[in-house]
Amino acid sequence: MKIAATYDNGNIFQHFGKTEFFKVYEVEDNKVISSEVISSNGTGHGALAGLLADQGISVLICGGIGGGAQSALAEAGIELCSGAQGDADTAVDAYLKGELVSTGVNCDHHHHEDGHSCGSHENGHSCGGHEDGHSCGGCGGGCGSQPSITGPNVGKTCRTHYRGTFNDGTQFDSSYDRGEPLEFICGAGQMIKGFDAAVANMEVGQVVDVHLMPEEAYGMPNPDAIFTLEIEQLPGAEDLTVGQQVYLSNQYGQPFPVKVNAKDEKTITFDANHEMAGKELNFRIELVEVK
């Protein structure tokens, strides 16, 4: 089975008809065995269902979608799960676990343009597993479409080594330490915008140093993504500790990662912002291969 998700910078893109990329997941025995990002090639609302059908897609996970597009998907025999948000991989995992609930037709052509407010779903939160969760892909305060990136490497598979540091010189990530270059499709939204833009114009063997402001990386923190709940409303919350990262689920039953900011006898405060939100980042990037 193949599942497709509207895709932008690691997240579920929120307007089906304007999506530039889909992430396609190959599933066997209810587990993802492989994935790839494909381009919509500028295809509009009407033809996207045909594009997905040609790819053998059985299920589409997306954000907002109109009635016409939903009908076209139904005619193509594609199951629709709309209203999803946040990290695409997490949404697919939730679907496979039976935890992703579709909201049906929900697109008014302004849907989610300014991002999501986590603070409005208080009664819908329930505590997920207490394991460490990976971070939401970096939509920051708003999950709209990213500006198009141009350059000779856009659309090509690039392999890069990199070292990432904060302004004080502290290293937060390095492909050199792992001994394996990072592979991604340039311009497909798999990387943060500033990293993608730098690689788009590089030549194989070139090394560049880039300094990224938050807007080019994981965005600025969204104050609406910090919210406080009554502990008695959230089963399991009494066992959580400050600094712990867990999954909550919204009113649709969709999981999203949060960090425990504060806790007292009666309330607990969560932060759904990306851990890198608001930070300036520095990268030394080496382009190893383009194919």
Side-chain angles (χ1 to χ4, degrees), residues 45-85:
H45 284 82
L48 282 173
L51 172 70
L52 294 174
D54 290 343
Q55 292 286 329
I57 304 301
S58 301
V59 179
L60 170 70
I61 297 175
C62 67
I65 187 168
Q70 185 179 29
S71 297
L73 289 167
E75 291 177 8
I78 298 173
E79 178 187 339
L80 171 65
C81 197
S82 60
Q85 58 181 297

Side-chain angles (χ1 to χ4, degrees), residues 7-261:
Y7 193 73
D8 180 56
N9 200 35
N11 295 308
I12 299 292
F13 183 63
Q14 290 301 312
H15 193 319
F16 171 73
K18 293 183 179 180
T19 190
E20 296 181 9
F21 299 98
F22 293 96
K23 190 166 185 179
V24 177
Y25 302 80
E26 183 79 30
V27 176
E28 288 185 4
D29 297 326
N30 220 38
K31 294 182 179 180
V32 174
I33 59 172
S34 65
S35 63
E36 64 174 336
V37 176
I38 65 171
S39 172
S40 67
N41 296 317
T43 304
H45 284 82
L48 282 173
L51 172 70
L52 294 174
D54 290 343
Q55 292 286 329
I57 304 301
S58 301
V59 179
L60 170 70
I61 297 175
C62 67
I65 187 168
Q70 185 179 29
S71 297
L73 289 167
E75 291 177 8
I78 298 173
E79 178 187 339
L80 171 65
C81 197
S82 60
Q85 58 181 297
D87 184 79
D89 294 351
T90 301
V92 171
D93 184 59
Y95 172 84
L96 293 173
K97 292 178 179 177
E99 298 173 349
L100 196 62
V101 180
S102 179
T103 62
V105 179
N106 56 9
C107 185
D108 60 4
H109 295 282
H110 298 284
H111 188 72
H112 299 320
E113 287 296 312
D114 295 318
H116 303 284
S117 172
C118 294
S120 62
H121 303 329
E122 292 190 4
N123 294 329
H125 287 301
S126 60
C127 190
H130 298 169
E131 70 275 14
D132 289 337
H134 62 275
S135 300
C136 176
C139 63
C143 296
S145 177
Q146 298 289 339
S148 297
I149 293 172
T150 59
N153 296 329
V154 171
K156 298 178 181 178
T157 299
C158 296
R159 301 180 78 233
T160 64
H161 266 308
Y162 68 92
R163 180 172 287 107
T165 58
F166 297 119
N167 284 345
D168 64 1
T170 303
Q171 178 179 298
F172 60 82
D173 195 12
S174 173
S175 65
Y176 292 103
D177 292 352
R178 292 190 294 272
E180 181 67 28
L182 174 70
E183 183 172 301
F184 62 97
I185 300 173
C186 186
Q190 295 173 301
M191 305 299 295
I192 55 176
K193 183 169 60 176
F195 194 105
D196 233 0
V199 173
N201 292 287
M202 291 179 65
E203 297 179 356
V204 173
Q206 185 179 3
V207 178
V208 301
D209 292 307
V210 295
H211 174 76
L212 305 182
M213 298 302 290
E215 293 78 10
E216 302 171 290
Y218 292 96
M220 295 300 294
N222 179 4
D224 288 336
I226 300 173
F227 53 94
T228 299
L229 304 176
E230 297 287 335
I231 290 178
E232 64 181 19
Q233 295 178 343
L234 194 64
E238 62 274 9
D239 298 324
L240 301 182
T241 57
V242 173
Q244 189 173 0
Q245 190 174 39
V246 299
Y247 279 99
L248 298 184
S249 56
N250 63 15
Q251 79 270 36
Y252 304 125
Q254 301 158 356
F256 61 97
V258 297
K259 187 175 183 179
V260 180
N261 260 16

